[in-house]
Amino acid sequence: MAAEIIAVTQQKGGVGKSTIAMHLGAAFHEKGKRVLVVDADGQNTLIHWASASSGDVGIPFHVVNLSEAGSQIHREIKKFVADYDIIVVDCPPSITEKVSGVVLLAASVAVIPTSSSPADYWSSIGLVKLVQQAQVMNEDLRAVFLLNKTEEKRMLTRELKRALEELGFPLLKTQIPTREAYKQAMALGQTVLQMNDRGAKLAAIEVRACANEIAALLP
Ligand SMILES: Nc1ncnc2c1ncn2[C@@H]1O[C@H](COP(=O)(O)OP(=O)(O)O)[C@@H](O)[C@H]1O
Ligand SMILES: [Mg+2]
């Protein structure tokens, strides 16, 4: 069976696309899926991340660099679909380049990370349009917002949740708060699923819950 493609995409940098892409990969890998994570962003965060580990505790699934493929990336991804169950694509921040658009044409689910900053909300508006354009051709494409780096008690988050829902795509129930563990994971070349401190354990629960919600959207 061909792999399902999950696109992690947002216009802005720094919202957690790479963090979420790698951790979704980790959670699906833990479920026993054959996972490929694609680094489609020229910043190559995931490639650096995967090579940051020391010893044998590295990233336990494949991470491939397709950031040079540009608007041909869907062709490159196609070469892998027979060999994997899940392909998570970490898309580049800009929607002016064609990469996110073509990935969305092949994807089953678009995950749109956003923090509670108004700037993220505004860039989500552009992303919604891009997803809707892709849905004209790819009718089965589902899209969800994922609140990252949240502080639940803040008014802004509640306001933002409502505003996001009005944009037309559902918000995942699971939110990812700001946790040092996510930063540490990147620095250590691991994911929070492999780490043992309390913060990482809480993070692992969130990451698994997030992946379960996304798994429920897959055909
Ligand atoms: N939930 C989180 N808690 C703490 N730090 C986070 C969280 N999500 C992302 N970060 C950090 O924020 C920075 C940007 O995240 P990154 O995943 O690289 O974003 P993007 O890929 O959208 O540019 C990184 O230093 C990352 O470790
Ligand atoms: Mg990134």
Side-chain angles (χ1 to χ4, degrees):
M1 232 177 64
E4 298 297 341
I5 298 171
I6 300 170
V8 182
T9 182
Q10 173 59 284
Q11 279 194 78
K12 244 177 114 254
V15 292
K17 291 182 297 297
S18 300
T19 302
I20 287 159
M22 193 68 114
H23 281 97
L24 285 178
F28 280 103
H29 167 79
E30 191 184 62
K31 284 167 173 287
K33 302 287 185 193
R34 296 171 302 162
V35 169
L36 176 69
V37 175
V38 172
D39 191 340
D41 184 355
Q43 292 182 59
N44 285 138
T45 304
L46 296 189
I47 298 301
H48 291 296
W49 185 342
S51 58
S53 65
S54 55
D56 49 4
V57 233
I59 300 295
F61 46 85
H62 295 144
V63 180
V64 68
N65 181 11
L66 295 183
S67 63
E68 307 279 301
S71 60
Q72 298 301 308
I73 190 167
H74 54 306
R75 292 180 206 274
E76 295 301 315
I77 292 173
K78 257 194 195 140
K79 295 177 185 168
F80 294 101
V81 293
D83 296 325
Y84 293 90
D85 302 311
I86 298 284
I87 299 180
V88 184
V89 186
D90 181 20
C91 293
S94 168
I95 58 166
T96 50
E97 40 179 326
K98 293 219 173 79
V99 176
S100 291
V102 292
V103 171
L104 288 171
L105 289 178
S108 302
V109 177
V111 178
I112 309 169
T114 177
S115 77
S116 50
S117 110
D120 285 5
Y121 169 73
W122 294 323
S123 60
S124 299
I125 298 173
L127 220 283
V128 166
K129 288 192 185 130
L130 191 74
V131 172
Q132 286 170 340
Q133 276 167 21
Q135 284 173 327
V136 174
M137 303 278 284
N138 179 8
E139 288 174 16
D140 297 329
L141 173 64
R142 316 274 299 268
V144 288
F145 289 111
L146 169 55
L147 273 176
N148 184 33
K149 303 191 191 179
T150 54
E151 286 147 67
E152 172 63 25
K153 288 193 193 75
R154 283 173 56 190
M155 190 59 161
L156 195 56
T157 304
R158 266 187 304 237
E159 291 287 310
L160 180 84
K161 271 193 201 170
R162 225 194 14 239
L164 282 175
E165 276 161 356
E166 280 170 14
L167 286 181
F169 299 139
L171 182 62
L172 290 186
K173 282 197 204 76
T174 309
Q175 296 177 20
I176 313 264
T178 301
R179 288 190 195 283
E180 203 51 36
Y182 290 108
K183 283 206 177 107
Q184 282 169 0
M186 202 185 264
L188 293 170
Q190 298 178 22
T191 71
V192 298
L193 301 193
Q194 296 157 287
M195 291 158 54
N196 282 316
D197 60 286
R198 187 173 169 275
K201 287 194 167 135
L202 292 171
I205 293 170
E206 293 148 15
V207 164
R208 290 183 186 115
C210 209
N212 286 338
E213 282 192 69
I214 291 166
L217 299 171
L218 294 173

